[in-house]
Amino acid sequence: MVILIDPPVWPAHGTMFSHLVSDSAVEELHEFAARAGIRSRAFDVDHYDVPAEQYAELVALGATPVAGSELVRRLVAGGVRVPARDRPKRARLTLLRRWAELDLPASGSAPEVTGETLATDALRDDLLDAWSAPPRHYHDATHLLSVLDAIDIMRLRASEIESPLSERELLTARLGAWFHDAVYEGVAGEDERASAALAVERLGSLGVDPALVADVERLVLATIDHRVEAGDRAGELLMDADLAVLARSEDGYARYVALVRRDYAHVPDEQWRLGRASVLNTLLASPRLFVSPAVPEDWETRARRNLESELAGLVS
């Protein structure tokens, strides 16, 4: 592992900044930054932004000076570079478009169009602010976008191998995605219940069909244990989309684990290992991780391989 730093040529906030990275392991980068007294809020996905006045000090501490192009090349080669789509700022822009694609059916008492549009936009902005609020690491806007993308992947596959999903099923799953981690304090169970209550309050205030509101509430609550009744296609969509991260590439899965660990940075290492191992063993004991027939065939195999590899690292 090598800590790299490029020249301070990036302007922001009235000064020039360098990028501080690791060429192979983000956790070692965080350790180096902590030793150097760099604040955690300076971290941006795969690098720290550090002002010009810290450049010489960081080099003296062991950071290797390289050109900007070499820094990016080493990040990519080491599998540490986070793709643009997985960056929160880019995800937020994409999510604005995804929200505009929703078609919320209102009840007969819905407000007039202008007022309804303003209220819907306000809900969108509040949800995006919630998903983007610090100190989220994994459960942020990129996770929401990944869940919505996974729902779309299964939507297309369902049309190929079984009857197409209805617009109502898709809308229920998508709204469930928008709300499922809208409240995130790191308290399992309580976060989901608070998120479900938020869905009932905010969708109800928009005059959304009460039956749809109830379905969204049910799906958000189901993410507590990821169990839905057989044949609940909207529920299957959301549960599997929420777990789709388990089937990422090896590098993508490693980034996911690192971000989850940062979400639980307050937990001591030994407690983390025990708790995480328990979660992994529970997942691996399931007959199937994914329940929807529309899940791509290789998700199950890739997910189990990732889980087994992580578990082996925890117990070794």
Side-chain angles (χ1 to χ4, degrees), residues 102 131 144 147-148 151 169-182 195 199 203 212 215-221 223 234 238-239:
L102 295 176
W131 281 95
L144 170 57
V147 172
L148 291 171
I151 288 173
E169 288 168 334
L170 285 169
L171 180 59
T172 303
R174 287 166 174 161
L175 282 174
W178 275 91
F179 279 98
H180 82 286
D181 278 327
S195 295
L203 292 176
L212 175 59
D215 281 341
V216 173
E217 178 188 22
R218 173 177 57 78
L219 262 59
V220 173
L221 290 173
T223 60
L238 181 58
M239 301 310 111

Side-chain angles (χ1 to χ4, degrees), residues 85-310:
R85 187 173 182 77
D86 289 342
R87 296 173 181 272
K89 292 178 182 177
R90 178 69 63 86
R92 185 179 178 110
L93 293 174
T94 304
L95 286 167
L96 287 170
R97 175 178 58 79
R98 300 299 293 270
W99 178 268
E101 295 170 355
L102 295 176
D103 184 16
L104 297 177
S107 66
S109 58
E112 62 184 33
V113 173
T114 301
E116 181 182 345
T117 300
L118 291 174
T120 301
D121 288 351
L123 173 57
R124 174 203 64 198
D125 293 344
D126 287 346
L127 286 172
L128 287 174
D129 287 346
W131 281 95
S132 304
R136 293 180 185 233
H137 298 290
Y138 170 62
H139 297 88
D140 65 0
T142 62
H143 170 59
L144 170 57
L145 182 55
S146 293
V147 172
L148 291 171
D149 284 346
I151 288 173
D152 280 350
I153 289 171
M154 288 185 280
R155 172 183 63 85
L156 294 173
R157 183 164 167 77
S159 298
E160 297 171 354
I161 66 171
E162 59 175 350
S163 59
L165 293 154
S166 70
E167 290 301 317
R168 174 57 179 268
E169 288 168 334
L170 285 169
L171 180 59
T172 303
R174 287 166 174 161
L175 282 174
W178 275 91
F179 279 98
H180 82 286
D181 278 327
V183 177
Y184 184 75
E185 300 293 338
V187 183
E190 292 304 312
D191 289 344
E192 290 85 353
R193 282 185 275 272
S195 295
L198 180 67
V200 171
E201 175 190 353
R202 296 301 299 269
L203 292 176
S205 69
L206 286 178
V208 172
D209 179 5
L212 175 59
V213 175
D215 281 341
V216 173
E217 178 188 22
R218 173 177 57 78
L219 262 59
V220 173
L221 290 173
T223 60
I224 294 176
D225 58 11
H226 284 83
R227 294 180 181 175
V228 294
E229 293 184 7
D232 179 358
R233 298 215 297 173
E236 291 174 347
L237 274 182
L238 181 58
M239 301 310 111
D240 287 350
D242 195 26
L243 293 182
V245 64
L246 303 180
R248 283 185 176 182
S249 67
E250 185 177 340
D251 290 341
Y253 184 83
R255 285 197 299 272
Y256 146 71
V257 174
L259 290 172
V260 172
R261 182 65 182 103
R262 295 197 74 204
D263 273 336
Y264 290 91
H266 59 284
V267 177
D269 286 342
E270 184 59 25
Q271 185 178 344
W272 161 260
R273 283 193 293 270
L274 291 173
R276 183 67 179 173
S278 176
V279 170
L280 298 178
N281 278 314
T282 298
L283 287 168
L284 287 168
S286 302
R288 283 195 60 81
L289 296 167
F290 302 104
V291 295
S292 171
V295 164
E297 294 178 356
D298 61 343
W299 280 16
E300 185 78 20
T301 301
R302 284 160 48 187
R304 288 190 179 275
R305 183 171 60 243
N306 284 331
L307 293 170
E308 289 166 355
S309 177
E310 184 190 356

